[in-house]
Amino acid sequence: MEKLAKLSYDGKSVEFPLVEGTENELGIDIKTLRAATNLITLDPGFKNTGSCQSAITFLNGEKGVLRYRGYDIEDLANNADFLEVAYLLIFGELPTQEQLDKFLVDIKEESFIDEDLKKILESFPSSAHPMGVLSSLTSALTAFNPKTVDIEDEEQLYRAIVRIMGKLPVLVAWVYRKKSGLPLKYGDYALGYVENIARMMFRKPNKEYVANHIVDQALNKLLILHAEHEQNCSTSTVRVVGSSHAGLFASVAAGISALWGPLHGGANQAVVEMLEDIRQDGGDINKYMKKAKDKSDPFRLMGFGHRVYKNFDPRARIIKKSANEVLEDLGIVDPVLDIAKKLEEAALSDPYFVERKLYPNVDFYSGIIYRAMGISTETFTVMFALGRLPGWIAQWREMRLNKEPIGRPRQIYVGKNQRPFVPLNKR
Ligand code: ACO
């Protein structure tokens, strides 16, 4: 029997069908609401609003579950390559070896940038925020790749995907290198996707680059863990921009801007900044633990707790191990990272944090790893964008293939009622 939700108002009653997802999640399908009632719903921040039906990511915050296309995040992060996961997210299935090889080669064929784009990058002041630069350069790519994609043409769509998968890592590496005062260089065609990213970023002009397997593995995991998280702010932005039939590059550029904000992608930056502040203040962990627990003090331990994951962040469990491996392997001596370790230990055994189930989230550890790799705090979010790219592509592709209508929310107007115009000399 069809499940229905009944809405009663003003003596009238209307019924709406319930939609059930494959994990038994229920939603009320209100597509006909306005036509039937002339009412709209009001839901700032869209906390109760499903904007689409999606087959990409399943997330259950209460149970700490995160799955891409049905596969547990633990299985993917521990066994797969970032490029395999990207393929899975975008096309729906894990690739065969042949498909993966072709995907990598096709991406590599596109892993270069029009030389004129270098001029744009060079014209940014060195003080420019890396996320602003990345977003601008991604937008600028549209000028060098003007063709809009015919969504009905599978080959054209595939070409657009491999093009952006090939070019964004180059931009990311260049944004990082420009910020670090290093010469802009291309990668090595012979390397895998992630290994090439590490090389493009970390290669020094005065010595031969030697790959570090532990760093490559940690980077691989971080990119996988950040690859998708269903309808978050930047992903919704990509879908909404794309819903006007703007191209993939333009939609991704908008996603990068959305990710930039401190309430979204900037969390790992906030973690390291907090750790720096604690160090500069003498490194007294207990003082900051007390502040975090004091309800009259607005201070919160950055990197602890999560809006969606209320028991544990499955991504944090995976990356904690990598953080330890990277710190040990690189033999890092960094008082800020020592503070991080002590803070983690203190919070994990403190009743306030234990009772409220406030565990370190993925951004606590991702900030630590990126810092250990020598990536500047401002560039953390750029790495997040690189990881999120396949998720944005997958969501953009799904939205277009599902022929979703243009995103156009409504509003409840609360401004002035009609009033007569007052000429300038009478105001
Ligand atoms: N430090 C100290 N106390 C905290 C913290 C924290 N980091 N997080 C939550 N609490 C306390 C709250 O004060 C509240 O206490 P109470 O029950 O005594 O009032 C209780 O834990 C529940 O917290 P809420 O605020 O209800 O949790 P909410 O879901 O609203 O917030 C959030 C989640 C915003 C992530 C919060 O935990 C926080 O501010 N964390 C620090 C910032 C951070 O790391 N953000 C990035 C998260 S990852 C991401 O979103 C990409």
Side-chain angles (χ1 to χ4, degrees), residues 71 76 80-104 158:
Y71 295 101
L76 293 172
D81 186 59
F82 175 61
L83 206 60
E84 279 177 88
V85 174
Y87 188 100
L88 168 74
L89 284 167
I90 297 169
F91 301 110
E93 295 296 338
L94 284 167
T96 60
Q97 187 66 54
E98 201 183 320
Q99 287 167 328
L100 185 63
D101 292 346
K102 178 176 177 339
F103 195 40
L104 180 58
Y158 179 78

Side-chain angles (χ1 to χ4, degrees), residues 262-265 267-268 271 292-293 295 299-308 310 313 315 352-353 356 358 361-363 384:
L263 296 187
H264 190 9
N268 49 14
V271 170
K293 294 187 275 182
K295 292 290 161 206
F299 176 79
R300 282 190 164 197
L301 274 195
M302 290 317 224
F304 287 79
H306 196 275
R307 183 111 309 151
V308 179
K310 291 301 174 198
D313 180 344
R315 302 166 302 170
Y352 173 97
F353 286 87
R356 287 170 179 75
L358 298 170
N361 57 49
V362 67
D363 288 314
F384 191 163

Side-chain angles (χ1 to χ4, degrees), residues 131 233-234 254-262 264-266 381 384-385 388 392:
M131 279 302 268
C233 177
S234 58
I256 294 172
S257 295
L259 186 71
W260 185 359
H264 190 9
T381 321
F384 191 163
R388 187 53 55 91
W392 289 333

Side-chain angles (χ1 to χ4, degrees), residues 176-225:
Y176 166 75
R177 293 182 74 86
K178 168 99 183 355
K179 192 81 191 160
S180 316
L182 292 165
L184 309 181
K185 291 267 188 249
Y186 279 108
D188 182 341
Y189 198 93
L191 293 177
Y193 192 75
V194 173
E195 292 76 9
N196 196 30
I197 291 171
R199 182 191 155 94
M200 278 196 290
M201 292 187 69
F202 304 131
R203 183 178 167 203
K204 293 275 156 47
N206 56 344
K207 64 176 176 188
E208 199 168 328
Y209 174 77
V210 182
N212 179 321
H213 183 58
I214 298 212
V215 167
D216 287 356
Q217 265 196 335
L219 190 56
N220 186 56
K221 282 201 170 94
L222 276 172
L223 295 175
I224 291 175
L225 297 179

Side-chain angles (χ1 to χ4, degrees), residues 219-294:
L219 190 56
N220 186 56
K221 282 201 170 94
L222 276 172
L223 295 175
I224 291 175
L225 297 179
H226 279 137
E228 232 305 283
H229 218 224
E230 50 121 293
Q231 306 310 318
N232 54 77
C233 177
S234 58
T235 301
S236 300
T237 301
V238 169
R239 282 185 91 120
V240 169
V241 173
S243 76
S244 74
H245 293 193
L248 178 59
F249 285 46
S251 306
V252 167
I256 294 172
S257 295
L259 186 71
W260 185 359
L263 296 187
H264 190 9
N268 49 14
Q269 178 173 340
V271 170
V272 170
E273 282 168 359
M274 173 195 73
L275 296 171
E276 287 270 18
D277 288 347
I278 298 178
R279 182 182 68 89
Q280 275 170 19
D281 190 30
D284 183 353
I285 306 292
N286 292 333
K287 177 177 167 188
Y288 283 87
M289 288 293 287
K290 264 197 204 134
K291 272 167 78 63
K293 294 187 275 182
D294 180 355

Side-chain angles (χ1 to χ4, degrees), residues 308-321:
V308 179
Y309 295 114
K310 291 301 174 198
N311 275 310
F312 63 92
D313 180 344
R315 302 166 302 170
R317 281 193 176 171
I318 302 163
I319 210 61
K320 178 184 161 116
K321 197 164 158 266

